[in-house]
Amino acid sequence: MEIEPFKDKIREITKLTQEEIYELIEDEQKKVIGTLHEKVALMRIVVNIYHDSHDITLFDEIKNYMELIDKDICYSENLDINTVKWYICQPDNLKLDFVTFGFGSSIELYECDCSLFLKNRICSHVEIYKSKSFDPCFIPDSIDHYSYYDGIEPDSFTLKDLLKEYPRWVLEYLFERWNEFYSVHKLANILETSSSLLTKLLGLLHAYRKNRNVDVRNRIVSMIKNKDLDVLWLTCEATDGGLTIFPEIPKNSSQFKFVHLEDNFLTFLPDSFANFVAVEKLHLQRNSLESLPESFGSLTSLIELNMDHNRLRTLPATFGNLTLLEDLKIKNNNLRALPNTFGNLESLKSLDLSNNKLISLPETFYNLSLLESLNLSNNKGLYISDSIDNMKSLKKLNLNSNGYLTFPKPICYLELLEELSLVSNKLKSLPECIGKMTSLKYLNLNNNLIETYPLSLCNLKKLEFVRLGSYSYSIIPDFLIDFLIDLEANGVNLGISPGRFYELKQRR
C-alpha cells in the first residue's frame, strides 16, 4: 500500500493541509489500544471519509485493499433479492504484521448490489445489517446469540415493517419460532399481508438455507481434498451455524492431525469418518450424536477426544482400539454402560464420564493403570468395584452427586490419590480405612450427612484443602478439633469462618 496517493485523495476530498492530515493520522493512532501502524490509521481515515462522502471512486480504491469475508441477502417489499457483502482489511493486504493493527483497529466495508447503493454507495439494506451487528461469518449464530429476539411477537409489525427492520438471518429465526404457534394464514393476517406473499418469503428463506448448506458441504469437501491442510476447523462459525450431515470422507484423507467439529447439529458420523486415519485431536462436543460407527475404532492415532454434551447411549466395541488415547471427555451424555473393550485404552491418563447414567463399569475398566484423573460424578448409584485398587496411577477422583449412602471403601486403597471429592452424596460416616489415603492433599465432603469421624482421619498429614461437610459442635470429636487446629496453623484451607473457628478452639 502506497501512502501518498491516499493522502492526496484525502486532501482532494477534505481540503485539509498536509500538516492537518498528519494530525488526523496521529489522532487516529491514539484511538486504539496498542501500536497502530500509520498505514492502518490512514486506511481507517479513508474508510471514514468514504462513509461520510460516499465517493464512488474512493470506494473502488479502498476495495483493492479489502478482502471479501462473506455475503448475505436481503429482501425488498416485493421480495426482490439483493446481496450484501462484507469486507475487512487483512494485515497481508497492507503488507503488515498483524500485531501492528492494535486492539480495536478493525477496518470493514459493506457493499450491496441494489440500484440505490450502486448510485449513491448507501442504502437501507446495508444500514439494516450494520444496525443489527451483521457478521456473516457467524450467521446463523448460536441460540444464545438469538435470545435477544425471543421477545419479538408478530403483532408488533406488518410484513413491510418487518422487512425494513430485520436482516435475513433474524427473519429466518423469527419465522421458525412463530410457525410453531401460527398457521401461514393466521400469520399473514397478523402481519397484514397475503398468504401467497408470506408463503413466497418462507420459501425464499428455506431455499437460501438449503443453498448455504450445500455451499458449506461443498466447501468442506474442498477443504478435505486440500493436501496442504492438517487442521480441519468446522465449528458452528465456520459452517454457518450448524452442520447436520457430514460428507463422505475420501480414503486418502491422512493429512489431518486436528479435526474440530464442535457446536454443530450432527446426529451421526459416516462410516468413512474412519478415513481420518492420522487425526490426533478430535473435538465433537456440543453436537447431537446418539452413536458412533463401528469404524470409529480405526482412528488409532487419536490422542485427545472430546465428545461432551451429546446424546451418546453406547460406544462401539471397536472403541477399545484407540490405544494411544490419553485424554477422553464424554460428560453430559446418556451412557448406561461401557464396552468391555474400554479397558484396552492403555494410554488413557484423563477421563471424564460425569453426568451420564452409568450404574456399573466393566471389570476391564479397572485395567487403566496409567489413568491419573477420573471424573465419575453425577452417575446415580454407580458401583465401584474392589478392582479400583489396580489403578495405581490415579491422583484425582471425583464422585460427587452419585447418591452414595456409604463411603465406597475400595477407594481407600488408592495410596497415591491426591484429590478426592464426594460432594453432595448422603454419607453418614467415614470408614476407618480412609486413614490409609496418606497422599491426599484435597478432600471435599461438603453437603453430606456425616455424623461420625474415625480417628484415622488424623493420618492425612498432607492435606492442603479440606471440607468435612459439617462443623457442628455436637458432631466433631475432640481429636478432630485438635487435628483441624494443627491443619489451620499450617495454612490449610478449612472453609471455616474465623469466628466459627475461634468458637471451635474455645471448646477445647
Side-chain angles (χ1 to χ4, degrees):
M1 176 186 180
E2 295 297 327
I3 290 181
E4 290 307 319
F6 273 102
K7 288 182 179 177
D8 293 339
K9 196 71 178 178
I10 294 174
R11 278 196 293 272
E12 177 187 331
I13 295 175
T14 64
K15 310 303 180 186
L16 294 173
T17 65
Q18 183 161 325
E19 184 177 341
E20 288 171 328
I21 290 174
Y22 275 114
E23 291 177 358
L24 198 61
I25 292 173
E26 289 179 2
D27 289 341
E28 195 67 33
Q29 289 176 313
K30 295 175 182 177
K31 290 180 181 178
V32 302
I33 300 172
T35 304
L36 186 59
H37 196 282
E38 183 183 18
K39 287 184 180 181
V40 181
L42 188 61
M43 177 61 84
R44 282 165 57 97
I45 292 169
V46 172
V47 170
N48 289 335
I49 290 174
Y50 157 72
H51 285 313
D52 291 336
S53 67
H54 305 298
D55 185 285
I56 295 175
T57 58
L58 186 56
F59 178 87
D60 294 334
E61 290 182 35
I62 294 171
K63 271 182 61 176
N64 291 329
Y65 298 96
M66 308 296 268
E67 183 174 335
L68 177 63
I69 298 302
D70 212 333
K71 57 186 178 181
D72 210 288
I73 61 173
C74 51
Y75 306 101
S76 65
E77 292 179 25
N78 60 356
L79 301 186
D80 290 334
I81 299 174
N82 295 111
T83 301
V84 176
K85 296 180 179 179
W86 183 59
Y87 301 84
I88 66 170
C89 186
Q90 301 280 25
D92 290 346
N93 297 108
L94 301 180
K95 298 180 180 179
L96 295 172
D97 191 316
F98 184 75
V99 297
T100 62
F101 258 53
F103 179 75
S105 61
S106 62
I107 305 169
E108 59 184 24
L109 201 63
Y110 292 89
E111 182 181 24
C112 182
D113 62 4
C114 73
S115 58
L116 185 61
F117 187 89
L118 293 175
K119 180 180 179 181
N120 300 320
R121 288 298 184 265
I122 187 171
C123 70
S124 59
H125 307 132
V126 168
E127 294 306 314
I128 287 174
Y129 279 88
K130 289 172 65 177
S131 68
K132 303 304 176 188
S133 300
F134 174 51
D135 184 348
C137 288
F138 294 81
I139 294 176
D141 210 337
S142 66
I143 294 301
D144 290 340
H145 188 83
Y146 284 130
S147 61
Y148 176 81
Y149 303 103
D150 281 344
I152 297 175
E153 297 300 332
D155 55 8
S156 303
F157 300 92
T158 65
L159 182 62
K160 179 179 177 181
D161 294 334
L162 203 62
L163 293 173
K164 286 182 177 180
E165 180 70 20
Y166 294 111
R168 190 269 322 159
W169 63 279
V170 177
L171 293 176
E172 183 178 277
Y173 176 69
L174 292 177
F175 281 112
E176 185 176 325
R177 188 165 61 84
W178 292 344
N179 285 340
E180 295 178 8
F181 305 101
Y182 304 100
S183 66
V184 172
H185 178 72
K186 177 68 173 176
L187 200 52
N189 286 337
I190 295 173
L191 295 172
E192 300 180 17
T193 189
S194 66
S195 295
S196 60
L197 193 63
L198 182 56
T199 299
K200 181 180 178 181
L201 175 61
L202 295 177
L204 290 172
L205 290 170
H206 176 74
Y208 185 82
R209 167 52 46 203
K210 184 178 180 180
N211 289 336
R212 279 187 75 107
N213 285 343
V214 171
D215 289 343
V216 168
R217 284 196 291 273
N218 290 339
R219 194 161 71 235
I220 292 172
V221 171
S222 176
M223 292 172 69
I224 291 172
K225 292 180 178 179
N226 186 343
K227 297 302 179 182
D228 294 328
L229 289 179
D230 63 356
V231 177
L232 191 61
W233 199 287
L234 295 172
T235 61
C236 70
E237 291 88 353
T239 60
D240 292 325
L243 186 64
T244 56
I245 299 176
F246 200 80
E248 294 294 325
I249 314 301
K251 288 185 177 180
N252 55 346
S253 301
S254 59
Q255 73 271 31
F256 292 104
K257 301 295 184 183
F258 309 108
V259 176
H260 295 261
L261 292 170
E262 59 262 37
D263 297 299
N264 282 288
F265 296 97
L266 296 171
T267 57
F268 70 95
L269 299 176
D271 288 337
S272 61
F273 200 84
N275 290 331
F276 285 134
V277 292
V279 67
E280 298 176 0
K281 180 189 294 185
L282 175 58
H283 284 191
L284 292 164
Q285 64 267 35
R286 294 183 295 279
N287 276 278
S288 300
L289 296 172
E290 296 183 359
S291 62
L292 300 175
E294 286 293 326
S295 62
F296 196 85
S298 298
L299 303 177
T300 53
S301 297
L302 269 179
I303 296 174
E304 177 184 322
L305 173 59
N306 190 331
M307 299 190 293
D308 289 347
H309 298 277
N310 277 280
R311 301 174 184 175
L312 294 171
R313 297 181 180 180
T314 60
L315 298 175
T318 58
F319 199 82
N321 295 345
L322 310 180
T323 55
L324 296 183
L325 196 60
E326 296 181 5
D327 186 353
L328 175 58
K329 297 180 177 66
I330 325 181
K331 72 179 180 184
N332 288 95
N333 278 275
N334 295 318
L335 292 175
R336 296 179 180 273
L338 300 177
N340 287 328
T341 57
F342 199 90
N344 295 341
L345 304 178
E346 56 189 29
S347 301
L348 206 57
K349 294 180 180 179
S350 177
L351 173 60
D352 190 344
L353 285 164
S354 60
N355 289 281
N356 277 283
K357 298 178 181 179
L358 298 168
I359 56 174
S360 65
L361 301 168
E363 197 63 22
T364 57
F365 179 87
Y366 302 102
N367 294 339
L368 302 176
S369 58
L370 296 183
L371 196 63
E372 298 178 0
S373 176
L374 176 59
N375 190 340
L376 294 169
S377 62
N378 281 284
N379 285 280
K380 300 298 181 184
L382 176 64
Y383 172 74
I384 302 295
S385 164
D386 289 348
S387 300
I388 196 173
D389 64 358
N390 292 332
M391 305 176 99
K392 301 297 185 182
S393 301
L394 203 58
K395 295 180 180 180
K396 297 173 64 174
L397 178 60
N398 188 329
L399 296 171
N400 295 346
S401 303
N402 281 349
Y404 292 135
L405 299 175
T406 59
F407 190 95
K409 291 183 181 179
I411 67 177
C412 289
Y413 301 97
L414 296 171
E415 296 181 357
L416 297 182
L417 197 68
E418 297 180 357
E419 298 185 20
L420 174 62
S421 187
L422 279 155
V423 173
S424 298
N425 282 283
K426 299 177 182 179
L427 304 178
K428 292 185 178 181
S429 63
L430 300 177
E432 190 69 30
C433 67
I434 195 173
K436 296 181 179 293
M437 306 177 76
T438 53
S439 297
L440 274 184
K441 297 179 181 179
Y442 176 103
L443 176 61
N444 196 340
L445 301 170
N446 264 352
N447 296 323
N448 278 282
L449 306 170
I450 301 173
E451 296 178 350
T452 58
Y453 296 90
L455 179 62
S456 64
L457 199 61
C458 299
N459 295 341
L460 309 184
K461 306 292 187 181
K462 294 183 179 180
L463 283 174
E464 298 173 0
F465 177 103
V466 61
R467 298 288 187 273
L468 295 180
S470 172
Y471 291 111
S472 171
Y473 301 142
S474 60
I475 293 176
I476 298 184
D478 290 346
F479 72 80
L480 188 53
I481 293 178
D482 292 338
F483 180 57
L484 292 174
I485 291 173
D486 290 342
L487 289 177
E488 196 272 343
N490 290 322
V492 175
N493 186 335
L494 301 176
I496 311 176
S497 68
R500 190 165 181 75
F501 188 70
Y502 175 77
E503 293 175 2
L504 266 181
K505 289 196 293 185
Q506 289 298 106
R507 212 192 84 180
R508 295 296 296 133

